[in-house]
Amino acid sequence: MAARKQEEAGSLKYPGIGHVAALILARGGSKDIPLKDIKPLAGVPLVGWVLRAAIDSEEFDSVWVSTDHDEIEKVAKSWGAKVHRRSEKVSRDDSTSLEIIQEFLKENPEVAVVCNIQATSPCLHPSHIKKALKKITEDGHDSIFSVVRKRHFRWKEVKKGSFTEPENLNPAKRPRRQDWNGELIENGSFYFATRDLIMKEGRLQGGRVAYFEMEPQHSVDIEVDIDWPVAEQRVLRYGYFGRRVTVHPRLMFCEISGCLTKGRGHLSGSLDRPGVSFAGGPCDTDSEASSSKSRDTEGFSVSIHSRDTEGFSVSIHSRDIEGLRKLQKDDVEVVLVISKEDVALQCPLKMTTDCEVMLVGKDPLKDVQSMVEKKKLDWNDVAYMGCQAASARCLQLAGLSAAPADAQPDAISAGKFPCKHGGGAGAVREFAEYVLLQNQKARLQKQKAVPCGHGNKVDHEGKKRQETSLLV
């Protein structure tokens, strides 16, 4: 027995502390959102986001999901977690988290420290866990909980609908936002606590207690169904996607019809008139493309047309034009994809956007694949925006992909990033900003991976940049 205990102690992450476990509570009887904890969020079961962060942190001796439901148990095991099958006694509507954790500790007496991670906090990163746990393993605290800093002025209700009093400000000396440190608010992401605090004192916060401050962009909590679309957009930008190299697109394809425009370009003249370009053909030297700005219900649009009143014209939202230019400025080559129906737009689009314009057939994959290979790139180096069902394969293969909110269902399902804007109404700008963010993350990740100077040391400036960078 003594040899077994010695062997177990030697295998612990923190022998001086004891067994450290992560515990995610996932009850099957959610009233607001049925089976909320395994509902897909951006293609991943909600509980999968926090399980991935917990396991990849490599800080825990064991990672558990406590549940009363068969389907949740299956999902938890598929993501690499152990399962604590809670009893009926702690599975009631009025059961508290503390009661469930106490039952878990009774059944697992080896656990010395438990981290209760909320399944409804999908923007948790391994780095949050690592930094918070150090407050216990190195600083000797008994409990740690996550917070976010808020700068909200609160008023107390003295009489419903009538009288009120300030709680955290003096209205006569109302501070400026930048002059006020704000308040620390629990964001519910996680709670570390020792066994003694939970079992002997019956609480998760106490003893030598400290907080871990998380960034606002990572402080996401899902309580009701209306929170879901907001959380999905947030997790796509700030969620943890696992231990892989961040995609760094160098080439972006963007379909014209349905993405950059609401529909197809308007043609008012004959296709064989001078100045109109055909498949792969050059522009007539006497032809001109001009642009003008007009205000519609959604903002400014750029109208591209010929120098006379006949011929072709197309309107592109100014936000989308700006998105394309930002990509080009970030050294992302942009290729606009058109079909034979839009061939007359090839030259004016190229002149107006400074982007290469490529004609594709009914199945764009063949032509796009050819260009990817010609440029000696991999699909992970590619971003693709499409709106047609025929584009689904390109959307699936690309490292980053998106479809406008009003695209065909097959395209939306194949895209990795769901846009909230429609085609011709800012969707391209929205996706462009996401691509730029991923490129920024990739550069930071590469910077951290490359040692500077001797050995594994980094220079002072590089270290400072790392410390102030986004979490990846």
Side-chain angles (χ1 to χ4, degrees):
M1 179 64 72
R4 180 183 173 185
K5 286 185 177 180
Q6 186 176 2
E7 182 181 348
E8 288 178 352
S11 65
L12 295 176
K13 303 284 184 181
Y14 298 97
I17 301 295
H19 189 110
V20 181
L23 180 65
I24 295 98
L25 309 185
R27 181 168 169 261
S30 174
K31 300 298 182 183
D32 296 316
I33 308 175
L35 290 178
K36 172 177 64 177
D37 295 322
I38 57 173
K39 179 180 176 180
L41 178 74
V44 174
L46 181 60
V47 71
W49 288 100
V50 293
L51 280 174
R52 180 159 54 194
I55 292 171
D56 283 4
S57 74
E58 299 183 333
E59 294 294 320
F60 299 108
D61 297 297
S62 60
V63 177
W64 298 75
V65 169
S66 176
T67 187
D68 58 348
H69 198 278
D70 293 341
E71 287 302 313
I72 296 177
E73 178 175 353
K74 291 179 183 177
V75 172
K77 288 181 177 179
S78 72
W79 280 82
K82 295 183 177 182
V83 173
H84 164 246
R85 195 67 186 222
R86 65 181 69 167
S87 67
E88 292 184 6
K89 181 181 178 181
V90 296
S91 299
R92 304 185 307 268
D93 288 342
D94 59 351
S95 296
T96 66
S97 297
L98 180 62
E99 291 174 329
I100 300 166
I101 296 170
Q102 286 176 329
E103 181 184 81
F104 167 78
L105 289 175
K106 287 178 182 177
E107 295 179 11
N108 297 275
E110 74 280 5
V111 176
V113 174
V114 64
C115 178
N116 173 214
I117 300 175
Q118 302 287 348
T120 53
S121 300
C123 284
L124 179 69
H125 280 242
S127 57
H128 298 142
I129 294 168
K130 289 175 180 289
K131 293 175 183 177
L133 184 55
K134 282 184 178 180
K135 294 179 179 289
I136 288 179
T137 60
E138 296 181 8
D139 301 337
H141 288 284
D142 300 306
S143 59
I144 311 293
F145 62 96
S146 58
V147 301
V148 63
R149 192 174 297 274
K150 297 284 187 179
R151 290 177 172 84
H152 295 164
F153 294 130
R154 293 181 291 104
W155 292 75
K156 180 172 61 177
E157 184 180 66
V158 178
K159 183 178 180 182
K160 189 172 180 62
S162 181
F163 298 105
T164 184
E165 293 178 353
E167 284 197 327
N168 64 348
L169 81 152
N170 178 357
K173 297 181 179 179
R174 190 182 181 94
R176 296 188 307 164
R177 180 182 176 84
Q178 59 267 38
D179 296 333
W180 183 41
N181 287 332
E183 298 178 321
L184 299 179
I185 309 297
E186 288 187 31
N187 68 356
S189 188
F190 59 81
Y191 299 82
F192 278 96
T194 62
R195 165 181 283 274
D196 286 348
L197 184 67
I198 296 170
M199 301 303 289
K200 295 180 179 180
E201 299 188 32
R203 50 182 175 159
L204 290 171
Q205 296 160 297
R208 289 198 64 209
V209 60
Y211 68 86
F212 176 79
E213 185 175 346
M214 290 176 62
E215 305 86 345
Q217 64 266 29
H218 293 107
S219 298
V220 179
D221 189 25
I222 302 174
E223 294 184 357
V224 294
D225 203 38
I226 196 173
D227 296 331
W228 209 265
V230 176
E232 193 158 61
Q233 291 294 322
R234 188 79 70 84
V235 78
L236 284 167
R237 287 168 168 81
Y238 303 111
Y240 172 69
F241 288 84
R243 289 179 294 195
R244 60 173 176 78
V245 176
T246 306
V247 176
H248 186 183
R250 296 159 56 191
L251 175 65
M252 175 169 162
F253 293 93
C254 178
E255 295 179 4
I256 295 297
S257 297
C259 292
L260 200 56
T261 67
K262 292 183 179 179
R264 297 203 176 278
H266 172 67
L267 296 172
S268 59
S270 171
L271 285 178
D272 60 357
R273 67 187 302 275
V276 176
S277 171
F278 291 92
C283 292
D284 188 283
T285 54
D286 293 330
S287 174
E288 289 184 7
S290 61
S291 63
S292 61
K293 290 185 177 180
S294 61
R295 184 183 291 277
D296 56 21
T297 55
E298 296 173 337
F300 283 105
S301 64
V302 178
S303 297
I304 303 170
H305 49 79
S306 61
R307 63 180 176 180
D308 52 28
T309 57
E310 298 179 344
F312 43 77
S313 66
V314 63
S315 293
I316 301 175
H317 204 292
S318 58
R319 285 200 297 264
D320 291 333
I321 290 287
E322 186 179 353
L324 295 179
R325 288 173 179 162
K326 283 187 174 182
L327 287 170
Q328 292 169 322
K329 188 176 180 180
D330 200 52
D331 294 327
V332 177
E333 182 181 357
V334 180
V335 176
L336 303 181
V337 177
I338 62 171
S339 60
K340 64 179 181 180
E341 290 86 355
D342 294 326
V343 69
L345 303 174
Q346 191 168 11
C347 282
L349 280 169
K350 185 173 183 178
M351 294 172 65
T352 305
T353 64
D354 291 326
C355 297
E356 183 175 351
V357 182
M358 182 177 72
L359 178 69
V360 299
K362 291 184 178 179
D363 181 4
L365 177 60
K366 181 179 179 181
D367 298 298
V368 172
Q369 176 74 43
S370 177
M371 179 170 279
V372 171
E373 293 175 354
K374 182 180 178 181
K375 294 182 179 293
K376 297 181 180 180
L377 297 176
D378 184 86
W379 275 101
N380 280 333
D381 302 317
V382 172
Y384 194 97
M385 186 167 205
C387 66
Q388 304 296 324
S391 308
R393 189 59 181 150
C394 291
L395 290 164
Q396 291 169 346
L397 289 171
L400 295 178
S401 61
D406 54 357
Q408 292 183 2
D410 287 348
I412 293 176
S413 298
K416 298 177 175 68
F417 175 81
C419 292
K420 63 181 180 181
H421 294 99
V428 173
R429 165 69 179 270
E430 185 182 358
F431 183 49
E433 289 179 343
Y434 178 65
V435 172
L436 292 169
L437 177 63
Q438 299 312 306
N439 281 349
Q440 181 186 12
K441 287 184 177 181
R443 284 191 290 268
L444 290 171
Q445 187 180 60
K446 184 177 180 180
Q447 175 189 336
K448 291 180 179 180
V450 178
C452 302
H454 300 286
N456 291 324
K457 294 181 180 180
V458 297
D459 59 29
H460 178 73
E461 183 180 355
K463 183 177 180 181
K464 185 176 180 181
R465 285 196 301 269
Q466 292 177 21
E467 291 173 347
T468 58
S469 67
L470 289 171
L471 288 167
V472 295

